[in-house]
Amino acid sequence: MPFSGEQTPLLTTVHVAPQQPRYRHSTLRRFLTIALAALLIVSVALFLVPVNWLPHHNRDHGADNEGSWTLPWSSPYPHKAWPASQGIPFKELQETLLNTPSEAKARYWSEYYTSGPHLAGKNLTQALWTRDRWQEFGIADSSIATYDVYLNYPLDHRLALLESPRENGQQHGPQSAYEVKYECSLEEDVLDEDPTTGLDNRVPTFHGYSANGDVTAQYVYVNFGTYWDYDDLVKANVSLEGKIAIVKYGRGFRGLKVKRAQELGMIGVVIYTDPQEDGEITEENGYKPYPEGPARHPSSVQRGSVEFLTIGPGDPTTIGYPSKPGVPRQDPRGATPHIPSLPISYRDALPILRSLNGHGPPASDFNEYWQGGGLGYKNVSYNIGPSPPSLKLNLVNKQEYIITPIWDVIGIINGTLADEVVVIGNHRDAWIAGGASDPNSGSAALNEMIRSFGVALEKGWKPLRTVVFASWDGEEHSLLGSTEWVEEYLPWLSNAAVAYINVDVATEGPNFGAVAAPLLNKVIYEATSLVQSPNRTTAGQTVRDTWNGQISTLGSGSDFTAFLDFAGIPSMMIGFVAGARDPVYHYHSNYDSFHWMDTYGDKGWHYHTAVAKIMALTAATLIESPIIHFNATDYANALASYVQALKKKATKSTSSNSVVYQTAFHNLELAVGELQNATIRFDLRASSLGKQIADAKIPWWKWWQRVRLYLEVRKINDGYKYMERKFLHEDGLDGRSWFKHVVYAPGIWTGYAGAKFPGLIEAIDAKDEKGFEKWSNIIEGKIKAATKWLDRLVQATARIMAAFVLRRPFALTSALKQLPKATSSTTRTFHSSPIKQQLFTQRSTTPLSSTLRKTHQTFQNAFRRYESSYQGIPNPTAGGTLGQRLLYGGAIIGGTVVAANLLFNRETREDGGMPPYERSFLNDTFAHTGLGIGIIGVAASALHRSGWSYRLMATNPWVVVGCSLVASLGTMYGTFNTSPDNYVQKYALWAGFNVAQAAILSPLLFLQPALLARAGLYTAAMMGSLAFVGATAKQEKYLYLGGPLLAGVALVAVSGFAPLVLPATAARTLMWSERIWLYGGLAVFGGFTLYDTQKILQHARMAERGMVKKDVVNESISLELDFLNIFIRMVRILGMQQRR
């Protein structure tokens, strides 16, 4: 029954009428909203994509370098003139480099360098002088890099031939029972014609890294002391254990002669230079010795290192890492001899060799490699020995071993592209007072080349790529200066280095020679075709015309070793060498002097300048070519020839017909064939792109086409730059892990000569099928990976489009998502900020337009709902004592840091911890970030108290967005483009940027302080943990995130604009767009925190090397923007949780 007093009927009539528009002109408003939103997205992208996505160029060339921070109307290219040279045309640059080198200048540099001793670690004066000269040439950024290395210096030595008066000798008797038959002088004659030979402080004869010792024993002649020579003696049952070896220089590195003798139980080694190595220019053939003639002086002694070069160059106590003060030291005995050794002249060797006549088999009884000694006319029959018990050698070697500094001189010309670098170097130290050929012919040529580039700089030239010049110290002992430098800067070099050009002996004769990685063959041929040959027989003949064109494989023995074999950087070395009919070059002897060079080596000093010109032109092409001037097909063809040569070598092995060998070679041939096809495609794409660049005249208003073109060029250049690195094997070669290259390494028993596919060669020599299978699989994998990578780059360049993705929204971005849709709907307002109702009652009643009035009412309704939502909500951090709240916050941050590091970064930095400069740089950036956030907070609070927030919320949102965009971009760009040296203007603009952010964020202060505090705490925890992960990770581990994060930002940005274009009834779509904007935004900007931390450390390393200026203000802006975007989303998420 009905309730008493019931007034409302159960049924009623509802009149259905057409739905009324939400407001007048809704269609027009929606159209304008969509149009303006699209315009805003495009505008922001036009500004931010070039700044944050395109490659950043070096900013050290002045304000006219518009490539630093690219604007839509400016060129995306590295500089205005690209692809032409900047400042002067490339043709003029070439002419400058050809015309500047001077024979008189080269002679002057050589005379200075050879005027006194300059052993490793004892040439600081020369280092400082070299740096000062380079600065005078215009290389202002020239400095000294110091390393503390393990070195030895001679104290005393003796070599005497002892004879017992008893017929059978006293094999086990005291040394006093013997008489001195011959005392070796161990000195080189002083020559009146050659002042260098008579210097009071001339360097004694000794071996670098030779062991101390005093040994007396019978001796054996071991030919050239190669691995195979010793093997021949073992097979001939010649007793070697306990004996002293007398060895000829040549056919391998001297340290390996000592190493093999040591392994066979010998107790000392004596090495001399036999005239056999001098070709036709010998006294036997009627030539007078130096200084009267071109033949070898009989007292000439070759000094040199006996460190085991093929185990690993550099400081033997710090193999694999730089020798800086305080680093842990390894035991050097694994890389240096345990037995003493001495170098002697052939004049001192004569009595020793003659005493072997008639003892043991003659060398003529052995194979062809034992024939051809050059002292037969001096009554030497080259008997093997051993010497009779009555004849012994007493070898005494006393060396001082110390840790001492060495000094590399490093000069830098910053290019527009900081991440593409060409390095050019020569070593400065020598075993002697002279060194006119080795190394100082190279030093003179390098100085002339640098002076030529200095002249080009004066004419206005600005290089496209960065150029690094190096004068290495310590090369002679064990490639110390270059190896330590490469080990120190390996991350940067791995990322940036394009090529290394080395010159050691620029001239010792008239015959041009080159050794290089195949990628560089083309540029060498082109450079030599432009330089007139010093020994031309007809007018106009170039070096290329008089050269046979053979480019040999790199082995070791000079400063390219660390660049190629350890870092995977394409390298080359050039110079003019002596032939069989040219004056004898006295290698590592006092007679390698300025007088010898001026008389016999290069009388007119034309070869010095020719090398300077070839190096300069080679470098200029590598520096200025828009597409790196490499040829990948040459590399693949070289690999194919190496496989065939190796296959022939394997056929001589008894196991060559096994399934393992046949399968391995078949797979290698297929892999190399695929690589050849890929390199042809890649080179064709590069050539096609080069033609497009040359012909392209794209108007400024089609700037996206210019961006696309440049990005394709970058892809191709990355292919060339990193191709050599694709053949590095992280574990290194078996037994010598320092050597990382699977294609090139010094032969394990040759040293100087290069081995192709060393892992396979060593397995074949050892008849090790398992080892051969292992290395064939490794090499096949590297070849296939390089093939796949090149093909991927070709495909990428074919489909690159100028995509404009918003990388990092400003704090104002959150406002763009929340503009009102209709007066009757619940909308997200500016920064999701609730505001009290009464604030609008105090405003003026000036009439507004219909649109503004509805927007105004929308703000009022939305803020009323937020106001009521937040009343009475409990806050877990609001209660408790101050200590409890601090403990709670600390636990959140600390726990987050630990958890994030365990999740993302299980390993720590492998370089022994963060270097001090990087730590200081990062700390300064964090300090500026904190200061910037503090400025924003204080300014926002002051603006809020002044009533700014009220006026802001009543203003047309589009006006707010437009003004905020202008203010933020204007101050940010102003900050970015202000030099850190102009600190007043820079900090003023930076403060303006922070105030602009504060003005946008001030409405957030309508929220509860506790909620804002929690959001700040969580933001600090999230950013702190991710920054810690980035700071402790391996260098550049997370820099690859840049690309994926850009795509994430695009998705987040689009989701933020969904409410502007979707109807309010699309609730499900709006809900998902909200989630993407909130949680996707957290993930993206958290990722940017990780990325930015590692980017800051990368910039710190570049700043330390002088590649860019230290600018922590610019770096802090990135972190500030990450913080603001995360903080706004934290506020929104916490607010939503409380409303639930």
Side-chain angles (χ1 to χ4, degrees):
M1 62 180 289
F3 291 105
S4 175
E6 182 178 20
Q7 302 295 324
T8 305
L10 296 177
L11 298 174
T12 186
T13 301
V14 178
H15 296 283
V16 179
Q19 182 179 359
Q20 296 295 319
R22 289 175 290 175
Y23 44 81
R24 288 176 294 172
H25 312 300
S26 61
T27 302
L28 177 61
R29 180 161 185 170
R30 173 166 293 187
F31 171 78
L32 292 175
T33 299
I34 295 173
L36 290 173
L39 179 62
L40 180 63
I41 293 174
V42 172
S43 300
V44 174
L46 288 176
F47 279 91
L48 294 187
V49 167
V51 170
N52 297 296
W53 192 34
L54 289 180
H56 290 184
H57 309 310
N58 200 298
R59 290 174 281 160
D60 290 339
H61 285 299
D64 62 336
N65 183 7
E66 61 181 337
S68 299
W69 300 102
T70 308
L71 299 177
W73 53 83
S74 66
S75 171
Y77 300 154
H79 52 72
K80 293 178 181 179
W82 191 89
S85 294
Q86 187 179 14
I88 60 176
F90 184 66
K91 185 68 174 176
E92 184 178 349
L93 174 63
Q94 286 183 316
E95 291 174 354
T96 300
L97 300 178
L98 280 170
N99 296 331
T100 302
S102 159
E103 285 79 4
K105 287 285 188 181
R107 187 179 190 277
Y108 174 75
W109 308 135
S110 178
E111 190 171 18
Y112 168 77
Y113 282 117
T114 60
S115 60
H118 40 293
L119 275 171
K122 292 192 174 184
N123 57 68
L124 177 59
T125 302
Q126 277 197 1
L128 296 172
W129 183 90
T130 301
R131 180 202 62 189
D132 293 345
R133 297 294 78 73
W134 290 5
Q135 290 175 346
E136 290 175 3
F137 298 158
I139 316 302
D141 189 1
S142 297
S143 58
I144 305 290
T146 304
Y147 300 96
D148 289 351
V149 299
Y150 179 70
L151 286 177
N152 69 302
Y153 298 109
L155 296 176
D156 194 12
H157 57 191
R158 184 203 187 195
L159 183 66
L161 179 62
L162 306 180
E163 184 176 27
S164 171
R166 303 183 184 184
E167 182 177 350
N168 295 323
Q170 294 289 332
Q171 190 168 357
H172 302 288
Q175 184 175 326
S176 58
Y178 288 82
E179 297 176 352
V180 176
K181 182 177 181 180
Y182 178 77
E183 187 79 41
C184 295
S185 70
L186 304 181
E187 289 280 350
E188 294 180 291
D189 292 352
V190 175
L191 307 177
D192 294 337
E193 298 88 341
D194 190 340
T196 305
T197 63
L199 292 175
D200 293 336
N201 56 350
R202 61 188 182 273
V203 181
T205 57
F206 77 108
H207 278 152
Y209 292 121
S210 177
N212 286 311
D214 183 344
V215 295
T216 301
Q218 295 170 262
Y219 59 97
V220 178
Y221 169 70
V222 297
N223 198 27
F224 287 96
T226 67
Y227 182 91
W228 301 273
D229 288 338
Y230 284 112
D231 193 46
D232 290 337
L233 294 176
V234 171
K235 291 177 181 177
N237 294 318
V238 176
S239 175
L240 299 177
E241 187 172 358
K243 307 296 192 298
I244 294 173
I246 181 162
V247 193
K248 292 187 290 190
Y249 274 115
R251 299 185 186 175
F253 180 65
R254 68 189 72 80
L256 301 178
K257 302 173 188 286
V258 180
K259 183 176 187 290
R260 188 56 181 158
Q262 175 180 292
E263 291 175 351
L264 293 173
M266 305 188 81
I267 62 172
V269 177
V270 176
I271 315 179
Y272 78 99
T273 301
D274 196 287
Q276 174 183 356
E277 295 298 289
D278 295 339
E280 295 183 15
I281 311 301
T282 63
E283 288 187 81
E284 183 180 9
N285 290 334
Y287 292 94
K288 292 184 178 180
Y290 177 76
E292 290 82 8
R296 178 178 302 278
H297 193 282
S299 70
S300 171
V301 178
Q302 180 191 142
R303 300 153 181 82
S305 174
V306 291
E307 190 255 0
F308 302 157
L309 186 64
T310 56
I311 301 299
D315 186 336
T317 67
T318 62
I319 295 177
Y321 56 93
S323 294
K324 305 297 284 187
V327 299
R329 300 276 173 173
Q330 307 166 15
D331 187 341
R333 289 181 294 177
T336 58
H338 305 168
I339 62 175
S341 64
L342 283 176
I344 63 172
S345 65
Y346 81 73
R347 185 172 64 189
D348 276 342
L350 280 172
I352 299 172
L353 293 172
R354 287 169 181 157
S355 296
L356 281 179
N357 288 349
H359 298 287
S364 57
D365 289 352
F366 288 78
N367 57 47
E368 68 271 19
Y369 299 106
W370 287 76
Q371 312 307 313
L375 294 175
Y377 79 105
K378 295 280 190 179
N379 193 30
V380 173
S381 60
Y382 291 103
N383 283 85
I384 305 300
S387 62
S390 59
L391 281 175
K392 294 184 178 181
L393 284 177
N394 173 227
L395 190 163
V396 178
N397 187 49
K398 293 183 180 180
Q399 303 288 322
E400 176 190 22
Y401 277 89
I402 59 173
I403 303 293
T404 187
I406 60 171
W407 306 278
D408 293 341
V409 184
I410 305 296
I412 300 172
I413 306 177
N414 285 312
T416 308
L417 299 178
D419 63 344
E420 292 182 3
V421 178
V422 176
V423 186
I424 309 162
N426 155 262
H427 76 91
R428 186 183 63 255
D429 65 298
W431 291 113
I432 48 180
S437 283
D438 183 11
N440 298 132
S441 61
S443 304
L446 181 68
N447 276 3
E448 277 304 274
M449 184 197 70
I450 295 173
R451 192 173 67 85
S452 301
F453 278 116
V455 172
L457 290 173
E458 289 180 359
K459 292 182 177 181
W461 173 64
K462 296 178 180 178
L464 174 63
R465 297 181 177 89
T466 295
V467 193
V468 177
F469 304 110
S471 175
W472 311 116
D473 192 8
E475 187 268 359
E476 294 292 6
H477 269 78
S478 185
L479 318 180
L480 296 170
S482 57
T483 301
E484 303 309 315
W485 190 80
V486 170
E487 289 174 345
E488 180 176 10
Y489 295 108
L490 180 63
W492 169 64
L493 290 169
S494 297
N495 176 65
V498 172
Y500 173 66
I501 301 173
N502 188 65
V503 59
D504 193 330
V505 179
T507 178
E508 62 176 65
N511 309 296
F512 183 77
V515 290
L519 285 172
L520 289 158
N521 288 358
K522 181 172 73 170
V523 71
I524 295 174
Y525 289 136
E526 292 182 5
T528 52
S529 298
L530 297 174
V531 178
Q532 294 291 299
S533 175
N535 58 351
R536 57 186 178 273
T537 56
T538 60
Q541 269 191 323
T542 65
V543 173
R544 178 68 184 92
D545 295 329
T546 58
W547 167 42
N548 62 12
Q550 180 180 351
I551 300 177
S552 301
T553 303
L554 291 161
S556 187
S558 196
D559 289 304
F560 57 77
T561 304
F563 287 90
L564 178 66
D565 297 335
F566 186 70
I569 298 166
S571 302
M572 57 173 282
M573 182 170 70
I574 61 171
F576 287 90
V577 300
R581 298 180 179 181
D582 299 316
V584 172
Y585 161 50
H586 296 74
Y587 181 51
H588 289 179
S589 160
N590 278 345
Y591 307 131
D592 179 13
S593 62
F594 179 79
H595 179 267
W596 180 87
M597 181 63 69
D598 206 28
T599 306
Y600 294 104
D602 186 9
K603 295 180 181 180
W605 300 85
H606 302 301
Y607 292 96
H608 284 71
T609 56
V611 170
K613 293 173 183 178
I614 295 170
M615 282 200 304
L617 293 175
T618 302
T621 302
L622 294 174
I623 294 164
E624 289 298 318
S625 295
I627 296 176
I628 296 173
H629 210 64
F630 285 173
N631 189 283
T633 306
D634 285 346
Y635 199 101
N637 291 340
L639 294 185
S641 67
Y642 302 159
V643 170
Q644 294 307 312
L646 196 63
K647 194 173 182 180
K648 291 180 181 179
K649 177 180 176 65
T651 57
K652 300 177 182 179
S653 170
T654 56
S655 303
S656 62
N657 294 324
S658 72
V659 175
V660 171
Y661 280 78
Q662 292 177 351
T663 303
F665 280 117
H666 176 72
N667 292 339
L668 285 174
E669 288 171 340
L670 289 178
V672 171
E674 292 173 359
L675 179 63
Q676 286 177 303
N677 293 332
T679 55
I680 291 172
R681 290 190 293 269
F682 190 81
D683 287 336
L684 285 174
R685 179 59 187 155
S687 177
S688 173
L689 192 58
K691 292 179 181 178
Q692 291 181 45
I693 293 170
D695 299 337
K697 293 182 180 179
I698 304 172
W700 70 267
W701 49 271
K702 289 187 178 180
W703 63 273
W704 61 89
Q705 294 183 12
R706 306 169 88 183
V707 171
R708 182 185 63 187
L709 183 63
Y710 183 56
L711 289 177
E712 289 183 19
V713 170
R714 294 283 294 187
K715 284 287 185 183
I716 291 295
N717 283 345
D718 283 348
Y720 283 132
K721 184 169 69 171
Y722 297 125
M723 183 174 179
E724 194 82 62
R725 258 91 96 195
K726 292 298 176 181
F727 294 94
L728 296 181
H729 181 52
E730 185 176 357
D731 295 336
L733 299 178
D734 293 337
R736 42 181 183 151
S737 59
W738 186 91
F739 290 95
K740 307 295 185 184
H741 211 299
V742 301
V743 180
Y744 300 113
I748 192 168
W749 285 111
T750 59
Y752 290 126
K756 284 84 93 173
F757 298 129
L760 295 178
I761 287 179
E762 291 162 27
I764 291 173
D765 288 339
K767 296 181 173 55
D768 179 6
E769 283 196 5
K770 289 184 178 180
F772 188 89
E773 184 177 22
K774 167 192 169 181
W775 279 104
S776 65
N777 289 335
I778 291 172
I779 294 168
E780 181 187 353
K782 297 294 182 183
I783 294 172
K784 287 183 175 180
T787 302
K788 184 177 180 181
W789 181 68
L790 288 176
D791 278 339
R792 190 164 60 245
L793 286 176
V794 171
Q795 294 166 7
T797 58
R799 62 174 179 260
I800 283 179
M801 298 298 292
F804 303 102
V805 202
L806 184 60
R807 174 181 183 257
R808 182 182 287 112
F810 294 94
L812 60 88
T813 304
S814 48
L816 304 179
K817 311 177 194 52
Q818 304 176 55
L819 295 177
K821 293 289 290 183
T823 56
S824 60
S825 62
T826 302
T827 61
R828 288 175 292 184
T829 56
F830 226 75
H831 292 306
S832 306
S833 304
I835 192 167
K836 295 182 179 179
Q837 175 186 357
Q838 59 267 28
L839 74 91
F840 287 105
T841 63
Q842 302 173 3
R843 296 288 297 157
S844 170
T845 58
T846 304
L848 301 171
S849 68
S850 174
T851 302
L852 289 177
R853 188 180 298 110
K854 291 176 181 178
T855 303
H856 180 232
Q857 185 63 38
T858 299
F859 278 129
Q860 288 181 328
N861 294 338
F863 293 154
R864 272 195 212 101
R865 283 187 289 276
Y866 274 96
E867 165 70 18
S868 61
S869 298
Y870 283 111
Q871 299 300 319
I873 301 297
N875 181 4
T877 63
T881 65
L882 175 62
Q884 290 173 328
R885 292 197 295 271
L886 290 175
L887 182 62
Y888 179 78
I892 291 176
I893 294 178
T896 309
V897 169
V898 173
N901 205 48
L902 289 175
L903 179 63
F904 294 109
N905 193 37
R906 291 182 175 87
E907 82 288 328
T908 56
R909 294 171 66 101
E910 294 180 346
D911 54 5
M914 189 183 299
Y917 187 87
E918 291 182 33
R919 180 181 292 107
S920 173
F921 193 104
L922 191 62
N923 288 341
D924 290 346
T925 302
F926 285 152
H928 279 76
T929 303
L931 179 60
I933 297 299
I935 292 173
I936 293 172
V938 172
S941 177
L943 289 169
H944 183 68
R945 288 195 302 272
S946 70
W948 165 264
S949 301
Y950 302 89
R951 291 188 291 275
L952 181 69
M953 304 315 297
T955 305
N956 186 316
W958 290 107
V959 174
V960 173
V961 170
C963 294
S964 302
L965 187 63
V966 171
S968 296
L969 286 176
T971 52
M972 185 187 74
Y973 273 100
T975 306
F976 283 158
N977 288 289
T978 301
S979 170
D981 299 330
N982 189 0
Y983 58 88
V984 174
Q985 178 179 323
K986 191 169 192 73
Y987 278 92
L989 289 168
W990 179 60
F993 169 79
N994 290 319
V995 171
Q997 303 308 299
I1000 303 168
L1001 287 170
S1002 61
L1004 288 178
L1005 296 178
F1006 286 116
L1007 296 173
Q1008 289 181 345
L1011 184 140
L1012 295 176
R1014 288 178 63 200
L1017 178 66
Y1018 296 157
T1019 302
M1022 181 176 176
M1023 287 196 64
S1025 63
L1026 291 172
F1028 180 78
V1029 170
T1032 57
K1034 292 188 293 186
Q1035 292 178 354
E1036 304 180 9
K1037 177 180 179 181
Y1038 296 110
L1039 289 183
Y1040 76 92
L1041 291 175
L1045 290 174
L1046 291 176
V1049 169
L1051 182 61
V1052 171
V1054 171
S1055 69
F1057 286 100
L1060 298 177
V1061 296
L1062 295 176
T1065 54
R1068 186 179 299 275
T1069 304
L1070 289 172
M1071 177 186 67
W1072 278 106
S1073 69
E1074 171 85 357
R1075 291 176 178 174
I1076 292 172
W1077 182 79
L1078 286 175
Y1079 300 106
L1082 278 181
V1084 167
F1085 291 105
F1088 269 118
T1089 302
L1090 188 62
Y1091 170 83
D1092 285 333
T1093 302
Q1094 291 230 304
K1095 182 189 70 175
I1096 290 165
L1097 292 175
Q1098 183 189 44
H1099 290 176
R1101 293 188 288 274
M1102 294 172 66
E1104 185 177 16
R1105 292 186 295 271
M1107 306 300 298
V1108 296
K1109 292 182 179 180
K1110 180 179 180 180
D1111 197 342
V1112 295
V1113 174
N1114 284 4
E1115 307 291 353
S1116 69
I1117 288 178
S1118 298
L1119 292 177
E1120 286 184 51
L1121 295 173
D1122 293 336
F1123 184 94
L1124 295 178
N1125 278 281
I1126 293 173
F1127 176 73
I1128 291 167
R1129 287 165 171 80
M1130 287 290 186
V1131 170
R1132 179 69 174 163
I1133 292 170
L1134 293 175
M1136 291 170 61
Q1137 290 176 345
Q1138 288 196 0
R1139 288 198 302 278
R1140 294 193 187 101

